[in-house]
């Protein structure tokens, strides 16, 4: 017999019907029942009180159930239901020792507990040992009859009972051979089966459908102990591999996996205690549901606490993780594999459903990390696309080719990265992330495209601005009959050049002809707009340009030398020529002439502003004529092409005449002053009168040479004062200004001459000749200086007139 250390026993249900769930769980853990799966068996024994049930179990399975002490009398030994692990039997076998029936200790409660414990044994056990006395076989009122009726009656409460092996153990066998006892016992069993009320569905169901009946006989333990032990030892062999095909419970049904045995037994006892019908298939599903859910929750909790998962989840929040899918799949498969291993023996439908739920919960848990990974993958791929795209463009690759190649490479890179991050258990659609990446790529391409096109357009527009602004300004400044044809030719040449360059540049953008034509037309319009804007700008400075041109032509001769008004110039003709040139400039700036249309602006302006007869007619207030400039538009010129309206031209011309009139007046005054300065001889009649009337005085001077010396000295003094005071230059600007200037200079000049004479008189006589020469030289220099001062004064007046004209 096995030692007590090899046997583990607990009271499964106490005498009051309370289920010992804590003790049961501890026992299952100690014997490692959960590792057995379906490879375990449960044996129960029932029978009359004090029939030797515990003794039989202790010898048969090496358990240590409490046995009755015969010397103390026959009384109840086992209370409730006890359970222990059979020692040394494979597979793992649990044995339950039920409280004996028909005991005096329970009294009237015996029947209720008897039925409950019997039903529990049938629902839980694979093999039920029914302990009975040999002398009760064949007796109508034997103790085994109520027991069998109880077994069969409670069996009817199982909607779909599991197939149980009933082993009748005949105790204290007599000399009657077992071959003779067994038929009688089977006949009694059949009668009891037939007499038990059954549901309509099982009216004709044979006993063998629910039970395998086995009969064994044992000698008396008290009288033939050795023989009893030998027979028990032989019987023990039959419990080895009892669940294998051909074994005692080889055809059992509805086995609960070992992992759910404790919970299943507890729930079965709960239903039995509540006096409800026990639906074993539903119970099996219920047990599977609860246990599989517990296993799934354990695996879910284990997954959330898994260090690898925590590190992976933390890492993916900050950036992409290489091998993300492989690592995550490994952790997921590990959790699910553990679930499958622990739940493999439970109901397949329940197991699969709970596994699917576990998968969904795990996938729901990891989905944010997967989304974060895809987000990093998308953003990283987009950045790589931008870098590759910029590099391709900077390398001179065509825009469309670069965009297409980089986009294909980008999407291939994303697909490769997604394949590395895919979660095999999930059927997640990555098309949204991929579409988002496509949209981002397209948006970036579109923005770069727009920027490049804008840059190209701006570049060619800037070239047109540079190529047109300066030349157009120069052409308008030198306005003549060829101004607008030259501007038109310049515009055509520069526009053709710019459009050709832009067209070649746009060929790499793979755009449709309509868009391309629109951009080229826009560039042509810009070029035309530059010319028109410059023309309007110059038209705003028309008055300044006219005055500059008038001043240039009026104040300079044909060789571009400043004019000196000597009195020989025809100021009227010069003025008319200068004004005609200014009017020509005004007519050129009055309208934009980039088309082939012909206008009559110049003739209109000439007839209205320059023609003398027309001007006289206009000034004659008594005569009323039509004014061609009294309009806001030109004939044959659209308003959009008009730069200066007729009314504005008239106003500008009036202002121009007023501001240039002073220049003409100054020129006339300078000319008259020059004439006066150059005419010093008296009239001929005065010369004749002087000769006639001064003959006597002349003769007197000839007779007295001293008078001639005095006159000569006086002449020299007057000549010196004339040169020093620059009298001719002073009177050139008028008599009154000349007198005022001479009055201020006369006394200092006289004092200067006297001082020089005194200095000359103090020099030695030996140097007299040198002194005379120096005086003569100085006089000559003074004369030259005087003439230079006169010339400078004339130039100053001319420059003053020019600056006055320009300022106006």
């Amino acid at each position: 017999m096995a030692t007590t250390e090899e046997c583990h026993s607990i009271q499964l249900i106490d005498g009051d019907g309370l289920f010992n769930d804590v003790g049961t769980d501890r026992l299952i853990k100690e014997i490692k029942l959960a590792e057995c799966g379906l490879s375990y068996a449960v044996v129960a024994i029932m029978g009359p009180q004090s029939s030797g049930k515990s003794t039989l179990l202790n010898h048969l399975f090496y358990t240590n159930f409490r046995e009755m002490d015969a010397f103390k009398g026959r009384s109840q030994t086992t209370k409730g239901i006890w359970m222990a692990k059979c020692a040394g039997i494979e597979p793992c076998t649990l044995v339950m020792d039920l409280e004996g029936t028909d005991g005096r200790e329970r009294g009237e409660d015996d029947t209720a507990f008897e039925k409950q414990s019997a039903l529990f044994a049938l629902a839980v056990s694979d093999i039920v040992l029914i302990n009975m006395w040999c002398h009760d076989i064949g007796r109508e009122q034997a103790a085994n009859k109520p027991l069998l009726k109880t077994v069969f009656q409670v069996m009817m409460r199982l909607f779909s009972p599991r197939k149980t092996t009933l082993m009748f153990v005949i105790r204290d066998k007599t000399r009657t051979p077992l071959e003779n006892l067994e038929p009688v016992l089977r006949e009694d069993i059949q009668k009891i089966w037939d007499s038990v009320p059954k549901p309509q569905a099982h009216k004709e169901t044979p006993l063998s459908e629910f039970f395998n009946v086995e009969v064994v006989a044992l000698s008396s333990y008290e009288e033939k102990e050795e023989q009893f032990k030998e027979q028990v030892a032989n019987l023990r062999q039959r419990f080895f591999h009892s669940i294998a095909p051909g074994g005692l419970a080889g055809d059992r049904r509805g086995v609960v996996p070992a992992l759910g045995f404790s919970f299943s037994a507890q729930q079965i006892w709960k239903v039995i205690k509540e006096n409800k019908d026990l639906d074993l298939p539903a119970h099996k599903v219920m047990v599977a549901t609860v246990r599989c859910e517990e296993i799934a929750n354990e695996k879910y909790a284990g997954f959330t606490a898994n260090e690898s998962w925590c590190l992976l989840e933390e890492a993916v929040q900050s950036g992409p993780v290489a091998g993300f899918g492989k690592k995550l799949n490994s952790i997921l498969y590990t959790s699910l594999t553990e679930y499958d291993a622990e739940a493999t023996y439970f109901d397949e439908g329940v197991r699969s459903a709970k596994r699917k739920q576990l998968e969904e919960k795990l996938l729901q848990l990891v989905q944010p990390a997967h989304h974060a990974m895809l987000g990093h993958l998308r953003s990283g791929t987009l950045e790589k696309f931008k870098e590759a795209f910029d590099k391709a463009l900077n390398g001179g690759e065509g825009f469309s080719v670069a965009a297409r190649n980089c986009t294909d490479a980008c999407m291939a890179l994303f697909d490769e990265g997604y394949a590395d991050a895919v979660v095999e258990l999930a059927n997640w659609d990555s098309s949204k992330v991929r579409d988002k990446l496509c949209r981002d790529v397209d948006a970036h391409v579109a923005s770069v495209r727009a920027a490049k096109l804008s840059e190209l357009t701006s570049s060619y527009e800037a070239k047109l601005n540079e190529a047109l602004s300066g030349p157009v300004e120069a052409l308008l400044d030198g306005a003549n009959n060829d101004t607008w044809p030259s501007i038109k030719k310049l515009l055509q040449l520069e526009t053709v050049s710019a459009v050709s360059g832009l067209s070649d540049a746009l060929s790499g953008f793979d755009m449709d002809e309509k868009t391309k034509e629109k951009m080229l037309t826009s560039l042509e319009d810009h070029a035309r707009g530059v010319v028109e804007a410059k023309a309007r700008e110059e038209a705003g400075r028309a008055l300044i340009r006219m005055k500059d041109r008038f001043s240039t032509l009026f104040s300079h001769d044909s060789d571009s030398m400043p004019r000196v008004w000597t009195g020989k110039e025809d100021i009227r003709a010069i003025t008319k020529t200068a004004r005609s040139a200014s009017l020509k400039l005004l007519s050129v700036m009055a309208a934009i002439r980039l088309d082939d249309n012909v206008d009559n602006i110049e003739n209109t302006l000439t007839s209205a502003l320059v023609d003398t007869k027309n001007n006289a007619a206009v000034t004659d207030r008594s005569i009323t004529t039509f004014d061609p400039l009294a309009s806001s538009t030109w004939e044959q010129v659209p308003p959009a092409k008009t730069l200066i309206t007729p009314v504005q031209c008239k106003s500008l011309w009036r202002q121009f005449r007023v501001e240039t009139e002073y220049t003409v007046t100054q020129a006339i005054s300078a000319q008259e002053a020059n004439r006066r300065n150059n005419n010093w001889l008296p009239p001929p009649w005065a010369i004749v009168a002087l000769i006639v009337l001064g003959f006597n005085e002349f003769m007197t001077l000839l007779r007295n040479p001293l008078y001639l010396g005095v006159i000569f000295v006086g002449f020299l003094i007057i000549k010196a004062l004339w040169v020093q005071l620059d009298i001719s230059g002073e009177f050139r600007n008028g008599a009154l200004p000349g007198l005022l200037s001479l009055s201020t200079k006369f006394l200092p000049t006289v004092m200067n001459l006297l001082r020089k004479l005194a200095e000359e008189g103090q020099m030695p006589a030996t140097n007299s000749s040198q002194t005379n020469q120096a005086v003569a030289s100085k006089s000559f220099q003074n004369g030259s200086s005087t003439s230079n001062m006169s010339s400078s004064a004339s130039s100053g007046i001319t420059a003053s007139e020019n600056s006055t004209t320009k300022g106006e």
Side-chain angles (χ1 to χ4, degrees):
M1 191 171 180
T3 62
T4 56
E5 284 131 358
E6 297 173 341
C7 177
H8 303 272
S9 63
I10 61 163
Q11 186 177 29
L12 184 63
I13 300 172
D14 63 14
D16 296 327
L18 298 178
F19 191 92
N20 184 9
D21 53 343
V22 177
T24 305
D25 291 338
R26 185 173 64 250
L27 173 65
I28 290 176
K29 189 176 296 185
E30 289 176 355
I31 65 177
K32 299 181 181 179
L33 181 65
E35 300 177 2
C36 297
L38 296 178
S39 182
Y40 75 101
V42 180
V43 180
I45 189 169
M46 63 177 65
Q49 182 177 303
S50 303
S51 60
K53 300 187 298 298
S54 300
T55 302
L56 175 60
L57 293 180
N58 289 339
H59 286 81
L60 184 60
F61 299 113
Y62 300 163
T63 55
N64 57 358
F65 293 123
R66 182 183 175 191
E67 301 177 9
M68 183 189 72
D69 188 353
F71 295 100
K72 294 182 179 180
R74 306 184 69 83
S75 62
Q76 187 181 52
T77 303
T78 303
K79 293 183 180 180
I81 302 175
W82 288 74
M83 184 174 68
K85 177 182 181 296
C86 300
I89 292 182
E90 292 294 335
C92 179
T93 302
L94 299 177
V95 60
M96 294 189 299
D97 187 7
L98 276 62
E99 181 180 318
T101 61
D102 197 21
R104 63 181 178 84
E105 284 78 7
R106 282 196 178 271
E108 295 180 357
D109 293 335
D110 177 65
T111 304
F113 189 80
E114 176 184 325
K115 291 183 178 180
Q116 290 174 353
S117 60
L119 181 56
F120 180 76
L122 286 175
V124 174
S125 305
D126 301 305
I127 303 170
V128 178
L129 302 179
I130 299 178
N131 205 39
M132 59 186 304
W133 301 111
C134 181
H135 54 74
D136 284 338
I137 297 176
R139 295 171 57 187
E140 189 64 27
Q141 301 299 325
N144 64 322
K145 291 290 183 74
L147 179 59
L148 287 176
K149 287 183 179 180
T150 299
V151 171
F152 292 154
Q153 285 173 358
V154 298
M155 185 275 303
M156 289 296 109
R157 294 179 59 186
L158 304 177
F159 290 156
S160 180
R162 49 190 291 171
K163 194 166 186 179
T164 306
T165 298
L166 296 180
M167 178 175 283
F168 291 88
V169 181
I170 302 174
R171 304 295 297 274
D172 298 348
K173 185 185 69 163
T174 61
R175 294 182 179 180
T176 305
L178 180 60
E179 292 79 6
N180 295 333
L181 294 175
E182 185 175 349
V184 177
L185 179 58
R186 289 184 179 274
E187 184 180 352
D188 291 341
I189 294 172
Q190 188 64 46
K191 288 179 180 180
I192 297 172
W193 171 256
D194 294 337
S195 64
V196 172
K198 291 181 283 294
Q200 186 66 34
H202 297 298
K203 285 288 186 182
E204 304 300 329
T205 303
L207 178 65
S208 59
E209 182 69 22
F210 299 108
F211 298 104
N212 292 322
V213 179
E214 297 286 339
V215 180
V216 295
L218 298 177
S219 300
S220 173
Y221 174 70
E222 296 178 355
E223 296 178 1
K224 300 177 181 180
E225 182 177 353
E226 294 300 325
Q227 190 176 357
F228 171 82
K229 291 181 179 180
E230 183 181 352
Q231 293 170 348
V232 168
N234 292 332
L235 178 60
R236 174 182 169 85
Q237 297 302 315
R238 299 187 63 183
F239 286 91
F240 281 90
H241 308 293
S242 57
I243 61 174
L248 288 176
D251 54 352
R252 62 179 182 170
R253 297 191 296 258
V255 183
V256 175
L259 191 61
F261 175 80
S262 176
F263 177 77
S264 174
Q266 184 178 355
Q267 293 300 315
I268 289 174
W269 181 250
K270 181 180 178 181
V271 173
I272 292 173
K273 285 289 290 182
E274 293 174 355
N275 200 27
K276 297 179 180 178
D277 289 340
L278 184 60
D279 187 353
L280 286 184
H283 171 77
K284 178 183 177 183
V285 172
M286 183 270 294
V287 172
T289 301
V290 173
R291 285 302 301 141
C292 288
E293 188 166 350
E294 289 178 354
I295 297 171
N297 291 337
E298 290 175 4
K299 299 311 168 188
Y300 181 81
F303 183 90
T304 57
N306 186 284
E307 183 179 359
S308 299
W309 158 245
C310 293
L311 293 175
L312 184 63
E313 184 182 28
E314 181 180 356
V316 81
Q317 298 304 321
S318 58
V321 178
F324 175 83
K326 184 178 181 180
K327 295 176 181 177
L328 183 56
N329 288 326
S330 175
I331 302 172
L332 287 172
Y333 280 128
T334 299
S335 296
L336 293 174
T337 301
E338 291 176 356
Y339 169 86
D340 292 337
E342 295 185 24
T344 185
Y345 299 111
F346 289 103
D347 182 80
E348 182 179 359
V350 175
R351 183 178 72 242
S352 300
K354 293 302 177 182
R355 189 185 196 277
K356 186 175 182 180
Q357 292 179 8
L358 176 61
E359 283 184 17
E360 292 174 354
K361 288 178 65 178
L362 291 176
L363 292 177
Q364 187 176 4
L365 176 65
V366 304
Q367 191 171 26
H370 184 258
H371 283 172
M373 179 63 190
L374 292 186
H376 293 312
L377 180 61
R378 181 187 61 80
S379 59
T381 305
L382 181 61
E383 289 303 319
K384 290 180 181 178
F385 167 81
K386 292 179 179 179
E387 294 176 3
F389 189 44
D390 292 343
K391 185 176 181 181
L393 293 179
N394 294 334
E397 192 171 349
F399 185 89
S400 298
V401 176
R404 183 168 54 253
N405 294 340
C406 291
T407 300
D408 293 342
C410 163
M411 300 316 297
L413 183 64
F414 174 82
D415 293 338
E416 181 181 350
Y418 179 76
D420 184 58
V422 70
V423 179
E424 298 174 356
L425 292 173
N427 191 23
W428 291 330
D429 186 10
S430 65
S431 59
K432 291 184 178 180
V433 180
R434 198 177 193 278
D435 293 343
K436 179 66 168 60
L437 177 60
C438 289
R439 291 194 299 271
D440 292 343
V441 168
D442 292 341
H444 180 71
V445 171
S447 66
V448 174
R449 176 192 180 97
K452 290 292 183 182
L453 291 177
S454 177
E455 183 180 345
L456 271 176
T457 304
S458 300
S459 174
Y460 280 96
E461 288 178 352
K463 290 180 180 178
L464 284 173
N465 290 340
E466 183 179 356
L468 293 175
S469 296
V472 169
E473 181 178 355
L475 288 171
L476 289 175
D477 186 37
N480 53 48
N481 292 330
D482 295 330
T483 296
W484 282 108
S486 299
I487 292 175
K488 182 178 179 182
K489 183 177 180 181
L490 174 67
L491 175 62
Q492 290 176 345
L493 289 175
E494 296 298 334
T495 301
V496 169
S497 175
V499 167
S500 176
L502 181 59
S503 178
D504 293 339
L506 293 178
S507 62
F509 285 85
D510 194 21
M511 61 173 56
D512 57 275
E513 289 298 325
K514 185 176 180 180
T515 304
K516 183 176 180 180
E517 187 64 29
K518 184 178 179 180
M519 292 186 66
L520 297 178
T521 303
S522 176
L523 185 63
E524 293 176 353
D525 295 341
H526 176 77
R528 192 181 185 95
V530 170
V531 172
E532 293 181 357
K534 197 63 183 178
R536 294 185 188 279
E537 179 183 346
E538 293 300 314
R541 295 198 291 263
L543 181 60
I544 297 175
R545 296 289 189 189
M546 291 167 64
K547 290 192 296 182
D548 289 345
R549 174 167 290 196
F550 177 84
S551 177
T552 300
L553 295 178
F554 187 79
S555 302
H556 295 77
D557 57 19
S558 59
D559 296 330
S560 299
M561 297 297 293
R563 293 183 187 274
V564 178
W565 303 106
T566 62
K568 299 178 181 180
E569 296 83 2
D570 187 354
I571 293 180
R572 183 180 298 275
I574 293 172
T575 302
K576 184 175 182 181
T577 301
R579 286 179 174 174
S580 297
S582 298
L583 186 66
K584 178 67 177 179
L585 186 146
L586 179 62
S587 68
V588 170
M589 289 189 174
I592 297 173
R593 300 176 178 87
L594 295 176
D595 300 323
D596 295 331
N597 298 332
V598 180
D599 59 69
N600 200 29
I601 295 177
E602 184 177 1
N603 294 335
T604 302
L605 289 175
T606 302
S607 63
L609 301 177
V610 177
D611 186 39
T612 305
K613 295 181 179 180
N614 189 39
N615 290 339
V618 172
T619 56
D620 189 357
R621 301 298 181 183
S622 63
I623 302 175
T624 303
T625 60
F626 172 72
D627 186 0
L629 299 182
S631 173
S632 60
T633 58
W634 298 103
E635 293 183 6
Q636 300 177 342
V637 178
K641 303 298 181 182
T642 301
L643 298 177
I644 307 174
T645 63
V647 174
Q648 291 173 336
C649 286
K650 187 174 181 179
S651 176
L652 287 173
W653 184 256
R654 186 183 298 113
Q655 186 176 357
F656 166 75
R657 287 180 63 103
V658 170
E659 294 183 3
T660 57
E661 194 69 32
Y662 177 77
T663 303
V664 177
T665 302
Q666 287 290 95
I668 294 173
S669 298
Q671 193 179 53
E672 290 177 354
N674 195 12
R675 287 174 181 173
R676 287 195 301 270
N677 293 334
N678 293 331
N679 191 12
W680 293 101
L681 295 175
W685 62 266
I687 296 175
V688 173
L690 286 174
I691 294 173
V692 173
L693 295 176
F695 180 77
N696 292 330
E697 286 75 7
F698 180 71
M699 293 302 296
T700 301
L701 291 174
L702 291 176
R703 292 188 190 101
N704 192 355
L706 182 60
Y707 288 154
L708 289 175
V710 172
I711 293 172
F712 181 72
V713 171
F715 172 75
L716 291 177
I717 293 172
I718 292 171
K719 178 64 176 178
L721 291 174
W722 183 277
V723 173
Q724 290 292 327
L725 293 175
D726 189 19
I727 294 175
S728 61
E730 294 293 341
F731 281 96
R732 189 174 297 163
N733 294 324
L736 183 60
L739 290 175
L740 293 175
S741 178
L742 290 175
S743 64
T744 60
K745 294 169 58 178
F746 180 76
L747 186 58
T749 304
V750 171
M751 295 300 294
N752 186 31
L753 286 175
L754 292 176
R755 187 176 65 254
K756 288 182 178 181
L757 289 174
E759 291 175 354
E760 292 291 333
Q762 293 176 0
M763 294 180 66
T766 56
N767 297 333
S768 61
S769 61
Q770 297 179 1
T771 302
N772 292 333
Q773 294 178 359
V775 169
S777 174
K778 194 158 185 78
S779 298
F780 177 78
Q781 291 175 359
N782 288 338
S784 176
S785 173
T786 302
S787 63
N788 289 339
M789 289 175 64
S790 177
S791 177
S792 299
S794 175
S795 299
I797 293 171
T798 303
S800 175
E801 292 175 354
N802 291 338
S803 64
T804 302
T805 303
K806 290 182 180 180
E808 293 171 353

